[in-house]
Amino acid sequence: MTLTIMSGGQTGVDRGAFETAIRLGLDFGGWAPRGFSAEDGRIPEVYARRMRESSDPGYAMRTRLNVQDSDATLILSWSSSPEKAGGGTWFTEKVCPAGQAVRPPAPAARRRGAPARGPGRDPEVAAPVERARPQRLRTVRVE
């Protein structure tokens, strides 16, 4: 079975997950808003070509589609509270079916992995965009 890393292609952890997938030779993809829009303009082609474009230019439909198409959602946040995480991270956790979201104890950067849901499961990664915590999420370490 193969593992596919899913995300919305936004700045920060979303793109860090894609970069990790590329380095490890894993499949990756996910849904993007119409026009492949991101907070920094357009999702870079290296990621966009592996993604699907939703019919809506907003982020809510993209988030719902990524959650729907994933077997698990890893929530990375500097806060242990979904409400304090804010924005898209909060919304992602809100629309996850019961038991789909995995939230490691904060701060997430100190955690080496998240509980697996079983072989062949495709996780989605959700976290605040880079602007929310600049300079804090620059390095992704995979062990």
Side-chain angles (χ1 to χ4, degrees):
M1 293 190 196
T2 62
L3 177 72
T4 301
I5 303 298
M6 309 276 290
S7 92
Q10 294 301 306
T11 60
V13 172
D14 280 15
R15 293 185 191 169
F18 282 170
E19 284 299 317
T20 300
I22 290 167
R23 289 180 187 177
L24 295 177
L26 298 174
D27 194 18
F28 68 92
W31 287 92
R34 185 176 67 220
F36 293 91
S37 62
E39 81 161 357
D40 62 346
R42 182 173 157 72
I43 296 170
E45 185 59 29
V46 66
Y47 312 130
R49 69 175 176 242
R50 303 286 293 274
M51 300 178 76
R52 293 178 280 180
E53 183 178 18
S54 76
S55 60
D56 190 292
Y59 297 117
M61 177 185 274
R62 176 266 339 249
T63 298
R64 283 189 172 95
L65 290 168
N66 279 326
V67 167
Q68 170 189 301
D69 288 355
S70 301
D71 297 305
T73 299
L74 174 61
I75 305 285
L76 299 176
S77 174
W78 296 102
S79 171
S80 59
S81 166
E83 294 79 19
K84 289 181 183 175
T89 305
W90 171 83
F91 183 72
T92 300
E93 194 160 358
K94 180 181 168 191
V95 300
C96 279
Q100 180 170 328
V102 176
R103 177 184 272 281
R110 293 188 187 155
R111 178 81 178 205
R112 284 195 168 185
R117 291 207 16 180
R121 301 297 183 170
D122 294 333
E124 177 203 11
V125 178
V129 294
E130 185 175 16
R131 132 183 83 67
R133 284 282 189 162
Q135 307 299 320
R136 296 290 298 267
L137 301 172
R138 293 284 186 214
T139 303
V140 176
R141 181 174 177 174
V142 179
E143 295 185 22

